[in-house]
Amino acid sequence: MKSQNSTTPHSGNNSVQPKVALIAEGGGQRGIFTAGVLDAWLEQEYDPFDLFIGTSAGSQNLTSYLARQKGYAKRLIRGLSRHKRFFQLGRGLMGKHIVDLDWYFDKTTEVNRALDFKTAKASLGDRELLITATNARDRKPYFLSPTGEGQQWRELLKASSALPFLYKQGVKLTPWLNALAANELGKTEIQSESDFYLDGGLAAPLPVREAYNRGARKIVVIRTVDEAFQAQSAWVSKLKSFVEVSGYCPKTIDYLLQHEQAYEDELAFIANPPKDVEIIQIFANQKLYSKLLGSSNDDLRFDYKLGLAAGHNYLKNHHPDQDDYKHSYIA
């Protein structure tokens, strides 16, 4: 199995460099593979991207990458996401969050776990980072830009990671949803004061088309699934048939079906992209052992090493001369 999968290489003769986008898929603890890829790039000071789009765990990984905090995402996934305080099924029976994102992100304010938002903002510069979230009211994807202020950035990351029912109704972002933040391409919508936002993977699990629509003509996608992954599993297909026959569609099923349809649409775009775009997917060259939640430390360590290898292989195959791609990092 190859570590990278490229479709439709760009062969234009334009003298202007096309916009290059980096997309980080979500996947809960499977994001440790992405952490490995990005840490490999940090080792080589590799960051040629103009646009970053992260979904759920992917948005957290991109933030630590921009903050130049090598090893940070790995440490949080292996530490905080495995802590008994973070994930408890029994809390749902008491009307509480099964996944305690409030506790998790509060921990990132502590000195030894602090995200360096100042460095992330400086290294981002005039480039663009978009954090995906799904509006619980209209179920549309929103691509939100952090202002650089730590608390606002942290809340966007929380919203992008708020899985429905595991984190109840979602995250209210109204205080920060200004014209800059709610920058859905080409649209201006008035946000309700009561709106909550959920995991970006529900409506935009793999926002490749969004990157293309924003002008990216080379799109690198870090995947957290096996290369042979099919968007709609057999049980989802049966579930969809049941819904269509019965007409019964509780909110849980509705969210799952929306996610699967959005994934199928993006995979179709990747399989048959426009002629003027190059899409490179980075996969693990072996089966990933980590899961959404409940992974063992050994499995996480293994998948992180797969990510490191995939990151180095990407540089070897696509950019053998690193001196042309090094950027000056701002400490």
Side-chain angles (χ1 to χ4, degrees), residues 249-278:
C249 190
K251 189 177 289 187
T252 306
I253 297 175
D254 215 14
Y255 277 129
L256 288 173
L257 294 179
Q258 178 182 5
H259 166 81
E260 298 298 333
Q261 185 59 58
Y263 226 133
E264 283 186 345
D265 292 344
E266 293 293 343
L267 291 180
F269 181 87
I270 293 172
N272 295 285
K275 293 182 179 180
D276 63 342
V277 64
E278 177 186 11

Side-chain angles (χ1 to χ4, degrees), residues 218-276:
K218 179 175 182 179
I219 304 172
V220 180
V221 190
I222 305 176
R223 305 296 305 277
T224 55
V225 297
D226 296 328
E227 191 169 358
F229 174 75
Q230 296 297 316
Q232 190 176 75
S233 60
W235 71 267
V236 170
S237 180
K238 291 180 181 179
L239 190 60
K240 186 176 181 181
S241 298
F242 167 76
V243 170
E244 290 173 348
V245 171
S246 67
Y248 175 66
C249 190
K251 189 177 289 187
T252 306
I253 297 175
D254 215 14
Y255 277 129
L256 288 173
L257 294 179
Q258 178 182 5
H259 166 81
E260 298 298 333
Q261 185 59 58
Y263 226 133
E264 283 186 345
D265 292 344
E266 293 293 343
L267 291 180
F269 181 87
I270 293 172
N272 295 285
K275 293 182 179 180
D276 63 342

